Amino acid sequence: MSKPRLLDSVRDAIRTRHYSPRTEESYTHWIKRYIFFHNKRHPSEMGETEITAFLSHLATDKHVAASTQNQALSALLFLYKHVLNIELDWLDDIVRAKRPKRLPTVLTQEQVASLLDHLPARYQLFCRLMYGTGMRLLETARVRVQDIDFDYKQIIVRSGKGNKDRVTILPESLIESLKHHLIRVKALHQRDLSEGFGNVYLPFALSRKYPNADREWGWQYVFPADTRSKDPRSGIIRRHHIYDKTVNRALRRAAQMINSTKHITSHALRHSFATHLLESGYDIRTIQALLGHKDVKTTMIVAPGVLPSATLVHPVRRIPM
């Protein structure tokens, strides 16, 4: 039996640990860059000198951001520890590039309303849900039908940042629109089923444990893609969730239409959600839980400003929309 190629071994190690496809794409990219930078030498033949040279090249010659350099370092850490099984004690002591501290972009409630009104119809509910719940863009895209609890007015965020689940609020102002949206999505799902498709990606090999679950209504994405596509890992034709980059493009166009000078991305809606809750008298610890932050200091950065002294109120009825 031939020895597997290095990048195939990397992919196997990533999938065994249930890392996301994006992490797989990123790690394999940086490992290839590292190998080609050193004239295709095998990583097992290289060490501290070569890794330091590569990271320095990224910073001094390519002028990459600190976050990009740290991403490359994480890929190399994974390669040596989990693929090559080489313990490089010094690798743990490498100082990661310090990311510059930036103040987040925060919009006023009037600016948010204007921005959302200028979005194309197909992105409006998606972005209103991001703003009304504080979810990240990919968290919103990955919401399944069964994750929405209309009775308790909440949404379960599955495998968020740090692979942790959490619960966030579902604004009453979005419930009716969301219910009507799901009627249209269910009709699309029924059509897919009638054409021999209708299955969806399930995490952690659940499709083997529950063979028919991938066609069940509860597992479908709330915001499905317009067309079916081939899964890059399995080769199966299925309908994935909405492509996140199209949402950010739509937000940028809407920002241009309202002549905003602020740098508006999907994260601006998340920052605005947190800030507006603080302005409405919400407790910082509650906002921390809704955003899924491990440290309250992160929440204070995301939602800058003076913390109000008002006591906590019921979050569903006070969400600004």
Side-chain angles (χ1 to χ4, degrees):
M1 189 179 206
S2 60
K3 190 176 180 180
R5 297 172 58 192
L6 178 64
L7 289 182
D8 289 338
S9 298
V10 172
R11 294 186 184 96
D12 288 342
I14 288 173
R15 295 175 190 183
T16 299
R17 289 164 177 79
H18 304 298
Y19 288 9
S20 71
R22 294 193 176 213
T23 300
E24 177 181 325
E25 181 182 359
S26 171
Y27 278 18
T28 53
H29 166 78
W30 287 116
I31 291 169
K32 282 193 288 186
R33 288 272 299 267
Y34 172 61
I35 293 170
F36 276 92
F37 177 74
H38 290 294
N39 300 314
K40 300 184 180 180
R41 289 173 61 193
H42 197 280
S44 62
E45 302 171 357
M46 297 187 282
E48 180 176 4
T49 302
E50 289 80 8
I51 291 177
T52 303
F54 176 64
L55 295 175
S56 298
H57 160 73
L58 293 179
T60 59
D61 298 333
K62 296 299 182 181
H63 306 290
V64 301
S67 58
T68 304
Q69 188 187 29
N70 287 334
Q71 189 182 70
L73 174 57
S74 295
L76 297 182
L77 280 167
F78 184 89
L79 171 67
Y80 279 96
K81 283 189 174 182
H82 302 299
V83 180
L84 299 177
N85 296 316
I86 297 176
E87 287 295 333
L88 301 175
D89 296 334
W90 56 267
L91 204 52
D92 291 322
D93 298 327
I94 287 185
V95 179
R96 292 178 178 269
K98 188 174 182 180
R99 300 178 63 174
K101 293 182 179 180
R102 308 288 189 195
L103 286 176
T105 299
V106 176
L107 308 176
T108 65
Q109 294 189 38
E110 292 75 18
Q111 288 173 330
V112 171
S114 179
L115 178 73
L116 296 175
D117 286 342
H118 283 81
L119 284 168
R122 74 179 303 261
Y123 298 113
Q124 282 203 9
L125 180 59
F126 185 99
C127 292
R128 288 181 189 279
L129 196 64
M130 272 200 298
Y131 171 60
T133 62
M135 290 191 291
R136 300 175 177 88
L137 194 156
L138 272 177
E139 290 173 345
T140 310
R142 292 170 178 165
V143 170
R144 316 259 183 166
V145 173
Q146 64 185 9
D147 296 332
I148 300 178
D149 190 329
F150 288 109
D151 295 325
Y152 281 98
K153 301 181 179 65
Q154 64 184 27
I155 295 178
I156 300 175
V157 182
R158 305 283 185 185
S159 300
K161 193 171 183 179
N163 201 29
K164 295 179 292 186
D165 293 353
R166 72 177 190 278
V167 175
T168 189
I169 48 183
L170 172 61
E172 286 186 89
S173 59
L174 295 180
I175 289 178
E176 286 306 311
S177 298
L178 198 51
K179 285 182 176 179
H180 283 102
H181 170 77
L182 288 177
I183 291 173
R184 296 191 294 271
V185 174
K186 190 169 187 178
L188 177 64
H189 176 55
Q190 293 292 341
R191 191 178 71 196
D192 282 346
L193 288 172
S194 67
E195 295 174 358
F197 298 97
N199 61 328
V200 70
Y201 166 77
L202 296 184
F204 311 128
L206 284 175
S207 56
R208 289 201 296 270
K209 187 175 182 180
Y210 306 106
N212 298 317
D214 61 351
R215 287 178 169 80
E216 293 177 1
W217 168 234
W219 280 103
Q220 304 305 307
Y221 290 115
V222 172
F223 296 100
D226 290 336
T227 59
R228 296 187 288 260
S229 58
K230 180 184 289 187
D231 187 301
R233 288 184 173 179
S234 65
I236 297 174
I237 302 295
R238 54 165 63 110
R239 193 178 294 276
H240 201 48
H241 58 64
I242 190 172
Y243 188 42
D244 56 289
K245 289 187 178 180
T246 63
V247 179
N248 262 331
R249 281 199 291 267
L251 281 169
R252 285 196 296 270
R253 287 195 293 268
Q256 292 171 355
M257 293 173 69
I258 65 173
N259 296 318
S260 174
T261 57
K262 295 181 178 180
H263 179 63
I264 297 178
T265 64
S266 59
H267 248 53
L269 295 178
R270 178 172 161 88
H271 298 156
S272 301
F273 163 82
T275 300
H276 297 165
L277 288 186
L278 275 175
E279 292 172 348
S280 298
Y282 278 67
D283 181 82
I284 188 69
R285 295 289 180 179
T286 300
I287 300 175
Q288 176 190 356
L290 293 176
L291 294 176
H293 288 156
K294 184 177 180 180
D295 192 335
V296 72
K297 292 180 181 178
T298 307
T299 309
M300 295 173 70
I301 295 172
V302 167
V306 179
L307 299 182
S309 58
T311 56
L312 175 65
V313 294
H314 194 285
V316 173
R317 303 184 186 280
R318 293 284 302 279
I319 291 294
M321 289 297 295

